[in-house]
Amino acid sequence: MGFTIGAISGLSGIREIRELRPGARRRERAQLCTRVAEYTSLWGWDLVPGARATRSGGRVVCSCGARACPSPGDHPLDASLEVPAGATVEEATRAWAAVPGAAMLLPTGRAFDVLEVAEHAALCALARLERMGVPLGPVAATPAGRAWFLVAPGAAAELPELLYRMGWDDADLDLRGRGEGQHITAPPSDLAGRGPVRWLRPPALERAGRPPQARLLLGTLAYVCHRSSVVRPRTPDGPAAVR
């Protein structure tokens, strides 16, 4: 079962959802609850309602209501409203009815951790990894040009040691981990008022509950991130060069 429900675009936020006609609102709510149930029941992931960001008078406003929110549209609303893995459609519908218009956030450090890189590096790495036949889990891309590789839990804490063992510990890499106590925004929710997160590789039934070990991907990700970091700026004499 794949993701087929249309995304709710980001900049208009919760206000746009409320302005929909009653019939359209009901359809949007039904679609969103179905999506929530996909994450919890089909993929077996916990889901947390998150804040949404809108633009008002030229500034970004967070739906949490805080006047000086440090992360507008990019944080959980209330951890006590979490929908646990295994929740049914009925349970998901009841839970999400309490937070209409909330973004869907996936806690990291539980079913999976995340390796985060720039999207252009992710696309290069994906092509290499697929050619090599490396088992891959889901990969998401954000409207901010970042990409998230879902890997086995524990990767974020082990990342410095793994990079050391592979000889990448002294390299300046645009590569970081997200683990326990953090989260990612689940597609197709809006991220910080910039637009929807999308899947580069959507979850698959055969692998959703068994994300790959980080060490299988990390060498390629580190190499591609390093190559990206040494691209020289374009010069009048020709295109950018790579050392």
Side-chain angles (χ1 to χ4, degrees):
M1 179 177 180
F3 290 104
T4 57
I5 301 167
I8 300 173
S9 252
L11 294 180
S12 50
I14 297 172
R15 183 182 68 254
E16 183 175 282
I17 297 173
R18 290 174 177 168
E19 289 173 353
L20 294 171
R21 294 189 299 275
R25 281 200 300 269
R26 285 194 296 271
R27 287 193 296 273
E28 292 287 357
R29 283 197 296 268
Q31 290 174 346
L32 183 58
C33 290
T34 300
R35 183 78 72 166
V36 171
E38 274 192 295
Y39 280 116
T40 59
S41 182
L42 190 60
W43 310 128
W45 298 336
D46 299 331
L47 201 65
V48 179
R52 295 285 294 272
T54 59
R55 294 193 179 274
S56 177
R59 67 188 185 96
V60 178
V61 178
C62 186
S63 63
C64 70
R67 292 182 60 85
C69 178
S71 303
D74 189 19
H75 65 85
L77 282 174
D78 186 342
S80 69
L81 299 176
E82 178 178 304
V83 185
T88 64
V89 174
E90 291 76 17
E91 291 167 338
T93 299
R94 286 196 299 271
W96 229 250
V99 284
M104 297 179 293
L105 304 184
L106 298 169
T108 54
R110 301 184 188 181
F112 58 82
D113 275 10
V114 161
L115 297 178
E116 178 181 324
V117 299
E119 184 180 350
H120 64 86
L123 294 173
C124 293
L126 275 173
R128 287 175 174 268
L129 291 165
E130 288 170 348
R131 286 198 302 269
M132 295 161 59
V134 175
L136 294 168
V139 183
T142 81
R146 308 296 293 173
W148 297 324
F149 285 75
L150 276 59
V151 293
E158 297 170 359
L159 188 57
E161 177 66 18
L162 289 171
L163 290 172
Y164 171 76
R165 291 179 184 176
M166 294 179 177
W168 289 106
D169 55 306
D170 60 349
D172 183 16
L173 302 177
D174 182 11
L175 192 163
R176 66 198 69 166
R178 294 196 186 201
E180 187 175 358
Q182 297 177 284
H183 67 272
I184 59 171
T185 300
S189 284
D190 171 84
L191 176 60
R194 297 181 179 182
V197 178
R198 70 189 193 282
W199 289 115
L200 295 177
R201 283 181 59 93
L205 280 175
E206 65 273 14
R207 296 210 58 87
R210 296 181 296 109
Q213 294 295 319
R215 59 181 173 78
L216 300 177
L217 319 182
L218 194 54
T220 299
L221 287 174
Y223 172 77
V224 171
C225 288
H226 175 67
R227 293 284 290 179
S228 298
S229 70
V230 297
V231 174
R232 297 176 184 145
R234 182 179 294 272
T235 68
D237 298 324
V242 178
R243 291 198 296 269

